[in-house]
Amino acid sequence: VNDWCQKNICNDVYFAFQMMTTDHHIHRDKGTKTKFIYLLDTGGDSVVTNFYDDDQTTMVDSVVLEPHRWCILKVDSYHSVAGVENGKTRFAITGKIF
C-alpha cells in the first residue's frame, strides 16, 4: 500500500494499513502529529473518534469518520476510538504526514 499511495497520492508520506477489532483507549500517537486516514470499513454503525484535553478526561470533540473519504486527524493530541462492534473490524489506510 505504501508504494502505490506514494506513487499516486503523495511521495512524502508513509502509508500503512490500520486494523482495529476492539475500541482503542485514550492515547497520543508517538512520532506523528498529523495523519491521513481513509476508512474502508468503519467497524460498526456507531464508531466515534473522541478527542480529549491534556487531562485525558475532558472531551473536546467527537467525530464520526465516514467510510471511503480521506480525513486528516491531529493525532498528537489525546484521542480514542469507541463503539467498534464485536465481530467487526475497523480497517483503514493511514498516512503519517508530520
Side-chain angles (χ1 to χ4, degrees):
V1 73
N2 187 56
D3 288 340
W4 187 91
C5 288
Q6 285 184 339
K7 287 177 187 172
N8 294 283
I9 298 173
C10 180
N11 62 351
D12 294 326
V13 173
Y14 174 75
F15 292 90
F17 290 115
Q18 180 186 70
M19 288 179 40
M20 290 183 198
T21 55
T22 62
D23 291 352
H24 202 52
H25 63 280
I26 297 172
H27 69 286
R28 285 183 174 167
D29 289 19
K30 295 188 189 290
T32 306
K33 292 182 180 182
T34 309
K35 186 181 279 185
F36 282 129
I37 185 166
Y38 185 90
L39 284 175
L40 297 164
D41 193 325
T42 62
D45 294 331
S46 301
V47 179
V48 297
T49 302
N50 299 312
F51 292 88
Y52 300 88
D53 203 349
D54 285 340
D55 64 9
Q56 299 183 47
T57 304
T58 306
M59 189 183 308
V60 295
D61 201 6
S62 183
V63 295
V64 175
L65 303 180
E66 296 178 33
H68 310 291
R69 181 178 180 171
W70 285 104
C71 298
I72 298 176
L73 300 177
K74 185 176 177 345
V75 294
D76 65 340
S77 60
Y78 286 106
H79 61 284
S80 67
V81 176
V84 176
E85 294 179 20
N86 195 18
K88 293 198 174 182
T89 300
R90 180 179 171 99
F91 187 64
I93 297 171
T94 64
K96 293 181 179 183
I97 301 171
F98 302 110

mmCIF file with all atom_site columns, all heavy atoms in Angstrom, residues 36-48:
data_model
loop_
_atom_site.group_PDB
_atom_site.id
_atom_site.type_symbol
_atom_site.label_atom_id
_atom_site.label_alt_id
_atom_site.label_comp_id
_atom_site.label_asym_id
_atom_site.label_entity_id
_atom_site.label_seq_id
_atom_site.pdbx_PDB_ins_code
_atom_site.Cartn_x
_atom_site.Cartn_y
_atom_site.Cartn_z
_atom_site.occupancy
_atom_site.B_iso_or_equiv
_atom_site.pdbx_formal_charge
_atom_site.auth_seq_id
_atom_site.auth_comp_id
_atom_site.auth_asym_id
_atom_site.auth_atom_id
_atom_site.pdbx_PDB_model_num
ATOM 1  N N   . PHE A 1 36 ? -3.298  11.234 7.806  1.00 0.00 ? 36 PHE A N   1
ATOM 2  C CA  . PHE A 1 36 ? -4.405  10.941 6.894  1.00 0.00 ? 36 PHE A CA  1
ATOM 3  C C   . PHE A 1 36 ? -5.038  9.639  7.363  1.00 0.00 ? 36 PHE A C   1
ATOM 4  O O   . PHE A 1 36 ? -4.344  8.736  7.826  1.00 0.00 ? 36 PHE A O   1
ATOM 5  C CB  . PHE A 1 36 ? -3.902  10.654 5.470  1.00 0.00 ? 36 PHE A CB  1
ATOM 6  C CG  . PHE A 1 36 ? -3.518  11.824 4.643  1.00 0.00 ? 36 PHE A CG  1
ATOM 7  C CD1 . PHE A 1 36 ? -2.291  11.838 4.005  1.00 0.00 ? 36 PHE A CD1 1
ATOM 8  C CD2 . PHE A 1 36 ? -4.375  12.879 4.425  1.00 0.00 ? 36 PHE A CD2 1
ATOM 9  C CE1 . PHE A 1 36 ? -1.915  12.877 3.191  1.00 0.00 ? 36 PHE A CE1 1
ATOM 10 C CE2 . PHE A 1 36 ? -4.010  13.930 3.616  1.00 0.00 ? 36 PHE A CE2 1
ATOM 11 C CZ  . PHE A 1 36 ? -2.781  13.932 2.989  1.00 0.00 ? 36 PHE A CZ  1
ATOM 12 N N   . ILE A 1 37 ? -6.346  9.508  7.174  1.00 0.00 ? 37 ILE A N   1
ATOM 13 C CA  . ILE A 1 37 ? -6.994  8.214  7.387  1.00 0.00 ? 37 ILE A CA  1
ATOM 14 C C   . ILE A 1 37 ? -8.105  8.062  6.349  1.00 0.00 ? 37 ILE A C   1
ATOM 15 O O   . ILE A 1 37 ? -8.845  9.000  6.073  1.00 0.00 ? 37 ILE A O   1
ATOM 16 C CB  . ILE A 1 37 ? -7.532  8.032  8.821  1.00 0.00 ? 37 ILE A CB  1
ATOM 17 C CG1 . ILE A 1 37 ? -8.072  6.625  9.024  1.00 0.00 ? 37 ILE A CG1 1
ATOM 18 C CG2 . ILE A 1 37 ? -8.555  9.089  9.168  1.00 0.00 ? 37 ILE A CG2 1
ATOM 19 C CD1 . ILE A 1 37 ? -8.310  6.245  10.475 1.00 0.00 ? 37 ILE A CD1 1
ATOM 20 N N   . TYR A 1 38 ? -8.159  6.882  5.744  1.00 0.00 ? 38 TYR A N   1
ATOM 21 C CA  . TYR A 1 38 ? -9.189  6.541  4.765  1.00 0.00 ? 38 TYR A CA  1
ATOM 22 C C   . TYR A 1 38 ? -9.818  5.243  5.240  1.00 0.00 ? 38 TYR A C   1
ATOM 23 O O   . TYR A 1 38 ? -9.196  4.173  5.164  1.00 0.00 ? 38 TYR A O   1
ATOM 24 C CB  . TYR A 1 38 ? -8.570  6.370  3.380  1.00 0.00 ? 38 TYR A CB  1
ATOM 25 C CG  . TYR A 1 38 ? -9.570  6.134  2.278  1.00 0.00 ? 38 TYR A CG  1
ATOM 26 C CD1 . TYR A 1 38 ? -10.119 7.206  1.585  1.00 0.00 ? 38 TYR A CD1 1
ATOM 27 C CD2 . TYR A 1 38 ? -9.961  4.849  1.921  1.00 0.00 ? 38 TYR A CD2 1
ATOM 28 C CE1 . TYR A 1 38 ? -11.039 7.003  0.564  1.00 0.00 ? 38 TYR A CE1 1
ATOM 29 C CE2 . TYR A 1 38 ? -10.880 4.634  0.900  1.00 0.00 ? 38 TYR A CE2 1
ATOM 30 C CZ  . TYR A 1 38 ? -11.408 5.708  0.229  1.00 0.00 ? 38 TYR A CZ  1
ATOM 31 O OH  . TYR A 1 38 ? -12.322 5.503  -0.777 1.00 0.00 ? 38 TYR A OH  1
ATOM 32 N N   . LEU A 1 39 ? -11.039 5.322  5.764  1.00 0.00 ? 39 LEU A N   1
ATOM 33 C CA  . LEU A 1 39 ? -11.712 4.136  6.289  1.00 0.00 ? 39 LEU A CA  1
ATOM 34 C C   . LEU A 1 39 ? -12.309 3.311  5.168  1.00 0.00 ? 39 LEU A C   1
ATOM 35 O O   . LEU A 1 39 ? -13.105 3.810  4.370  1.00 0.00 ? 39 LEU A O   1
ATOM 36 C CB  . LEU A 1 39 ? -12.827 4.533  7.254  1.00 0.00 ? 39 LEU A CB  1
ATOM 37 C CG  . LEU A 1 39 ? -12.415 4.980  8.640  1.00 0.00 ? 39 LEU A CG  1
ATOM 38 C CD1 . LEU A 1 39 ? -13.631 5.461  9.427  1.00 0.00 ? 39 LEU A CD1 1
ATOM 39 C CD2 . LEU A 1 39 ? -11.711 3.875  9.382  1.00 0.00 ? 39 LEU A CD2 1
ATOM 40 N N   . LEU A 1 40 ? -11.917 2.055  5.117  1.00 0.00 ? 40 LEU A N   1
ATOM 41 C CA  . LEU A 1 40 ? -12.521 1.108  4.188  1.00 0.00 ? 40 LEU A CA  1
ATOM 42 C C   . LEU A 1 40 ? -13.717 0.433  4.844  1.00 0.00 ? 40 LEU A C   1
ATOM 43 O O   . LEU A 1 40 ? -14.696 0.114  4.189  1.00 0.00 ? 40 LEU A O   1
ATOM 44 C CB  . LEU A 1 40 ? -11.489 0.075  3.742  1.00 0.00 ? 40 LEU A CB  1
ATOM 45 C CG  . LEU A 1 40 ? -10.317 0.691  2.972  1.00 0.00 ? 40 LEU A CG  1
ATOM 46 C CD1 . LEU A 1 40 ? -9.147  -0.263 2.899  1.00 0.00 ? 40 LEU A CD1 1
ATOM 47 C CD2 . LEU A 1 40 ? -10.764 1.100  1.585  1.00 0.00 ? 40 LEU A CD2 1
ATOM 48 N N   . ASP A 1 41 ? -13.619 0.209  6.157  1.00 0.00 ? 41 ASP A N   1
ATOM 49 C CA  . ASP A 1 41 ? -14.721 -0.341 6.947  1.00 0.00 ? 41 ASP A CA  1
ATOM 50 C C   . ASP A 1 41 ? -14.684 0.330  8.318  1.00 0.00 ? 41 ASP A C   1
ATOM 51 O O   . ASP A 1 41 ? -13.637 0.368  8.961  1.00 0.00 ? 41 ASP A O   1
ATOM 52 C CB  . ASP A 1 41 ? -14.568 -1.851 7.100  1.00 0.00 ? 41 ASP A CB  1
ATOM 53 C CG  . ASP A 1 41 ? -15.822 -2.506 7.636  1.00 0.00 ? 41 ASP A CG  1
ATOM 54 O OD1 . ASP A 1 41 ? -16.521 -1.896 8.473  1.00 0.00 ? 41 ASP A OD1 1
ATOM 55 O OD2 . ASP A 1 41 ? -16.109 -3.637 7.224  1.00 0.00 ? 41 ASP A OD2 1
ATOM 56 N N   . THR A 1 42 ? -15.813 0.853  8.759  1.00 0.00 ? 42 THR A N   1
ATOM 57 C CA  . THR A 1 42 ? -15.864 1.638  9.997  1.00 0.00 ? 42 THR A CA  1
ATOM 58 C C   . THR A 1 42 ? -15.778 0.804  11.264 1.00 0.00 ? 42 THR A C   1
ATOM 59 O O   . THR A 1 42 ? -15.451 1.329  12.313 1.00 0.00 ? 42 THR A O   1
ATOM 60 C CB  . THR A 1 42 ? -17.161 2.466  10.055 1.00 0.00 ? 42 THR A CB  1
ATOM 61 O OG1 . THR A 1 42 ? -18.282 1.561  10.060 1.00 0.00 ? 42 THR A OG1 1
ATOM 62 C CG2 . THR A 1 42 ? -17.251 3.434  8.892  1.00 0.00 ? 42 THR A CG2 1
ATOM 63 N N   . GLY A 1 43 ? -16.115 -0.485 11.176 1.00 0.00 ? 43 GLY A N   1
ATOM 64 C CA  . GLY A 1 43 ? -16.107 -1.328 12.370 1.00 0.00 ? 43 GLY A CA  1
ATOM 65 C C   . GLY A 1 43 ? -17.425 -1.295 13.123 1.00 0.00 ? 43 GLY A C   1
ATOM 66 O O   . GLY A 1 43 ? -17.535 -1.832 14.220 1.00 0.00 ? 43 GLY A O   1
ATOM 67 N N   . GLY A 1 44 ? -18.436 -0.689 12.543 1.00 0.00 ? 44 GLY A N   1
ATOM 68 C CA  . GLY A 1 44 ? -19.758 -0.625 13.173 1.00 0.00 ? 44 GLY A CA  1
ATOM 69 C C   . GLY A 1 44 ? -20.486 0.652  12.814 1.00 0.00 ? 44 GLY A C   1
ATOM 70 O O   . GLY A 1 44 ? -19.920 1.574  12.236 1.00 0.00 ? 44 GLY A O   1
ATOM 71 N N   . ASP A 1 45 ? -21.744 0.695  13.185 1.00 0.00 ? 45 ASP A N   1
ATOM 72 C CA  . ASP A 1 45 ? -22.599 1.829  12.828 1.00 0.00 ? 45 ASP A CA  1
ATOM 73 C C   . ASP A 1 45 ? -22.431 3.037  13.745 1.00 0.00 ? 45 ASP A C   1
ATOM 74 O O   . ASP A 1 45 ? -22.849 4.132  13.389 1.00 0.00 ? 45 ASP A O   1
ATOM 75 C CB  . ASP A 1 45 ? -24.072 1.405  12.837 1.00 0.00 ? 45 ASP A CB  1
ATOM 76 C CG  . ASP A 1 45 ? -24.373 0.380  11.752 1.00 0.00 ? 45 ASP A CG  1
ATOM 77 O OD1 . ASP A 1 45 ? -23.694 0.402  10.696 1.00 0.00 ? 45 ASP A OD1 1
ATOM 78 O OD2 . ASP A 1 45 ? -25.284 -0.447 11.964 1.00 0.00 ? 45 ASP A OD2 1
ATOM 79 N N   . SER A 1 46 ? -21.846 2.848  14.930 1.00 0.00 ? 46 SER A N   1
ATOM 80 C CA  . SER A 1 46 ? -21.770 3.940  15.902 1.00 0.00 ? 46 SER A CA  1
ATOM 81 C C   . SER A 1 46 ? -20.344 4.171  16.403 1.00 0.00 ? 46 SER A C   1
ATOM 82 O O   . SER A 1 46 ? -20.137 4.523  17.569 1.00 0.00 ? 46 SER A O   1
ATOM 83 C CB  . SER A 1 46 ? -22.685 3.629  17.098 1.00 0.00 ? 46 SER A CB  1
ATOM 84 O OG  . SER A 1 46 ? -24.013 3.462  16.660 1.00 0.00 ? 46 SER A OG  1
ATOM 85 N N   . VAL A 1 47 ? -19.355 3.992  15.544 1.00 0.00 ? 47 VAL A N   1
ATOM 86 C CA  . VAL A 1 47 ? -17.964 4.164  15.952 1.00 0.00 ? 47 VAL A CA  1
ATOM 87 C C   . VAL A 1 47 ? -17.621 5.656  15.912 1.00 0.00 ? 47 VAL A C   1
ATOM 88 O O   . VAL A 1 47 ? -17.902 6.340  14.931 1.00 0.00 ? 47 VAL A O   1
ATOM 89 C CB  . VAL A 1 47 ? -17.009 3.362  15.047 1.00 0.00 ? 47 VAL A CB  1
ATOM 90 C CG1 . VAL A 1 47 ? -15.568 3.563  15.478 1.00 0.00 ? 47 VAL A CG1 1
ATOM 91 C CG2 . VAL A 1 47 ? -17.375 1.887  15.072 1.00 0.00 ? 47 VAL A CG2 1
ATOM 92 N N   . VAL A 1 48 ? -17.027 6.155  16.996 1.00 0.00 ? 48 VAL A N   1
ATOM 93 C CA  . VAL A 1 48 ? -16.656 7.559  17.104 1.00 0.00 ? 48 VAL A CA  1
ATOM 94 C C   . VAL A 1 48 ? -15.190 7.687  17.483 1.00 0.00 ? 48 VAL A C   1
ATOM 95 O O   . VAL A 1 48 ? -14.631 6.821  18.160 1.00 0.00 ? 48 VAL A O   1
ATOM 96 C CB  . VAL A 1 48 ? -17.519 8.328  18.131 1.00 0.00 ? 48 VAL A CB  1
ATOM 97 C CG1 . VAL A 1 48 ? -18.972 8.347  17.714 1.00 0.00 ? 48 VAL A CG1 1
ATOM 98 C CG2 . VAL A 1 48 ? -17.365 7.762  19.517 1.00 0.00 ? 48 VAL A CG2 1
#
